[in-house]
Amino acid sequence: DVVAAKGLARSRLEVLEALTALRLCCCDPRLVKIDGKPKNSHESAKLDWLKESLPELIEDGRRILLFSQFTSWLDLLEQDVLSPLGIPFLRLDGSTTDRDTLVQRFQACEVPLFLLSLKAGGTGLTLTAADTVILADPWWNPAAEAQAADRTHRIGQDKPVFVYRLVCDGTIEERVLAFQERKRALLASVLDADGQAVPSFTEADLADLLAPLPQ
């Protein structure tokens, strides 16, 4: 309705906000506010998967980098999974002041799990101690995903690296992956409030992203 009333060029902020809400819901419905209040739900397929998988990966001796665009989701991961299971971790996001110490501790294998936000940890780090990368949510720009995984592929890496992408079936996340394939060469012509690049949508792209799922 907004696009029909204002045109796509003048509706980019509303479009981005709506698509972000749909993507947050895929991570955890509690991150989406309805009428100013968070949704009362404790169902999160991604947290359930991590609750089951992280202990197994760590027991197998894996050193794990876990990336998400959403620091609010990392908060829930800490609260609902890592703390109850007693899993030690490091975290690097926009509020981190001493990146070097965290990197050194992970590289020294003091802690098996490193949580990183895309904006803070997607570039400029060398983390060759890792042999596993978990991308918790698909990102508009596939190059950003590649850069994040490449934190492990540096001089000195002597192990195969496994990359897991967490994607909710039958949701907008599947549409994001299809969008990546069609738009792999483009970078955004607009910036969100945090200065992060997002792809430039055509009305046809938006229709594809928001089309009803097949019954």
Side-chain angles (χ1 to χ4, degrees), residues 15-89:
V15 167
L16 180 59
E17 287 176 346
L19 295 177
T20 298
L22 289 171
R23 294 174 61 226
L24 282 168
C25 192
C26 295
C27 292
D28 193 301
R30 287 173 291 175
L31 298 176
V32 181
K33 294 184 177 181
I34 306 297
D35 297 328
K37 299 179 181 179
K39 183 173 175 59
N40 183 19
S41 171
H42 291 282
E43 296 179 358
S44 171
K46 295 188 180 187
L47 292 184
D48 289 344
W49 185 86
L50 289 165
K51 191 178 298 184
E52 180 178 338
S53 301
L54 284 177
E56 294 177 357
L57 292 170
I58 292 170
E59 186 176 349
D60 287 343
R62 299 285 189 88
R63 319 296 300 183
I64 306 162
L65 305 180
L66 192 154
F67 286 91
S68 176
Q69 265 193 95
F70 305 117
T71 56
S72 53
W73 182 77
L74 293 178
D75 294 339
L76 292 178
L77 173 61
E78 289 185 31
Q79 169 190 305
D80 291 357
V81 178
L82 304 182
S83 293
L85 294 178
I87 295 176
F89 65 92

Side-chain angles (χ1 to χ4, degrees), residues 111-132:
V111 180
L113 174 63
F114 203 165
L115 310 183
L116 303 109
S117 69
L118 169 64
K119 189 173 181 181
T123 58
L125 298 177
T126 298
L127 297 165
T128 51
D131 58 11
T132 302

Side-chain angles (χ1 to χ4, degrees), residues 153-174:
H153 291 101
R154 292 291 185 269
I155 294 173
Q157 178 58 273
D158 56 2
K159 305 175 289 297
V161 176
F162 298 86
V163 179
Y164 297 85
R165 289 179 170 83
L166 306 189
V167 179
C168 282
D169 185 37
T171 72
I172 194 170
E173 290 189 334
E174 286 192 330

